Amino acid sequence: VNVSDYSISVVGPGEAAKTTWDLAKRNGMATAAKVQANCSWEIAAFPYLPVIDLVAEHALNLSRAGVDGVLLSWSHGCCPAPNLSVFRDIRRTDRDKGEVLDRIASDLYGAQAVPAVRKAWTTFADGYREFPFSCAVMYNGPMHMGPANPLYLEPTGYAATMVGIPYDDVRSWCSEYPEKVWADQMAKVRDGFERGCEQFAQAIPLMPEGKRKAAEKELRLFRAETLHFRSCVDQVGFCLARNAKDAAAMKGYAAKELATAKAMLPLVRGDSSFGYESSNQYFYIPQDIREKILSCRLVLK
């Protein structure tokens, strides 16, 4: 895949960056890499993604590439999170990523929970590697609005707006990917996050009592992200079924979207960071999820 923007799902650096840095160094210039560590335009509606292994790989690769410095965020991805800690510590020490991840997991969740937490982190990361990356997908896709994006019984004809409203513009969502391939790849991301949530939930009882409340809050974050990926898959399925005039399939996808929106509502009501990105403000608020529930019910009716 050709990556020409910030990516977490595709670990860098690429050959173009390394060639540029080499040229700069040969001319006596310092070098820096501008990266995203918490989240990127792949999905920007949350404070961070628990794909710590990918972040650690990127940090270690940059250190070994000899880059002098890093700029670690943009308008999104600025919240304090384990990803930034991992990036900082690997850049400072150039240590094996396993050692750094073990220590940060222990600091956050206690020594007994480290193996279980590390397993969950790896599962999240392995799922996220399957993200159907392209700049057009990042800017036009439904990942940011997720379950808040309404269903439309008839095609709107509206074009998706850049990191704004995706409408039902499936062709722009998928960009160079065939719709079925895009949906299949996003389903792999969804499945990885669902398994990661299960594993992280199993790790919580292993944590010291004083650390469980924060971990439970993080689990709600991970589940909300999972619902976004689930919704992406089902929205594409609904639109394709609508275009094929397959009423039974439309009904099935609308029922799934209804269940996803109903599961999302208490999560959004419970954490005002969900759906927020500083340059766009809120992609959605709880009222938008309620409207999605109504739109699904209208379609089913």
Side-chain angles (χ1 to χ4, degrees):
V1 64
N2 180 37
V3 177
S4 57
D5 207 312
Y6 310 111
S7 167
I8 294 177
S9 64
V10 183
V11 175
E15 291 304 314
K18 289 187 281 189
T19 299
T20 302
W21 296 333
D22 180 64
L23 180 62
K25 285 181 177 294
R26 283 192 277 118
N27 284 273
M29 301 171 67
T31 57
K34 192 170 189 304
V35 300
Q36 290 291 130
N38 276 348
C39 63
S40 72
W41 287 124
E42 291 156 311
I43 176 170
F46 298 100
Y48 85 98
L49 296 164
V51 292
I52 320 291
D53 294 56
L54 299 180
V55 173
E57 286 178 27
H58 201 164
L60 194 58
N61 289 349
L62 288 176
S63 290
R64 292 176 176 173
V67 67
D68 297 309
V70 292
L71 293 79
L72 274 178
S73 72
W74 188 234
S75 59
H76 51 291
C78 303
C79 295
N83 303 33
L84 291 175
S85 297
V86 167
F87 219 108
R88 175 201 62 203
D89 291 357
I90 286 180
R91 286 284 302 159
R92 282 179 177 174
T93 64
D94 196 23
R95 298 248 177 119
D96 176 78
K97 72 171 190 176
E99 180 183 339
V100 172
L101 293 179
D102 281 349
R103 182 174 47 75
I104 289 177
S106 181
D107 290 345
L108 290 171
Y109 307 115
Q112 187 177 352
V114 167
V117 169
R118 286 289 312 280
K119 181 180 179 181
W121 282 351
T122 298
T123 300
F124 285 124
D126 287 346
Y128 204 59
R129 291 180 198 273
E130 302 294 339
F131 187 95
F133 183 91
S134 84
C135 288
V137 169
M138 292 197 300
Y139 293 141
N140 296 313
M143 301 81 62
H144 314 297
M145 282 192 69
N149 193 38
L151 297 183
Y152 300 93
L153 194 57
E154 301 292 338
T156 66
Y158 296 151
T161 61
M162 181 177 175
V163 291
I165 304 173
Y167 296 108
D168 54 347
D169 187 8
V170 173
R171 188 60 260 146
S172 293
W173 298 355
C174 301
S175 185
E176 64 264 44
Y177 296 93
E179 291 93 338
K180 178 71 165 55
V181 172
W182 190 94
D184 287 347
Q185 289 305 116
M186 200 63 76
K188 293 175 183 176
V189 180
R190 174 204 64 199
D191 293 346
F193 268 63
E194 287 181 347
R195 290 193 298 271
C197 284
E198 293 170 2
Q199 292 165 0
F200 193 83
Q202 293 168 5
I204 291 176
L206 304 174
M207 300 176 189
E209 188 172 348
K211 296 181 179 293
R212 291 177 191 171
K213 186 175 181 179
E216 288 167 353
K217 181 179 180 181
E218 285 190 300
L219 180 58
R220 291 192 288 273
L221 166 66
F222 307 156
R223 284 176 170 158
E225 291 164 348
T226 303
L227 292 175
H228 269 237
F229 296 126
R230 181 188 301 173
S231 183
C232 289
V233 176
D234 293 333
Q235 286 182 58
V236 170
F238 175 85
C239 291
L240 294 180
R242 183 192 63 190
N243 295 346
K245 302 186 185 305
D246 185 342
M250 288 173 65
K251 182 177 180 180
Y253 284 115
K256 289 181 179 179
E257 277 287 88
L258 176 58
T260 297
K262 290 171 74 173
M264 190 74 187
L265 183 57
L267 297 175
V268 175
R269 291 180 65 188
D271 194 322
S272 61
S273 72
F274 295 178
Y276 181 79
E277 190 279 316
S278 59
S279 65
N280 287 280
Q281 303 300 301
Y282 278 98
F283 289 113
Y284 56 82
I285 57 176
Q287 184 64 18
D288 297 302
I289 304 295
R290 294 187 183 99
E291 290 186 14
K292 173 61 173 286
I293 291 171
L294 292 177
S295 87
C296 292
R297 288 174 175 165
L298 180 62
V299 167
L300 288 167
K301 183 179 179 180

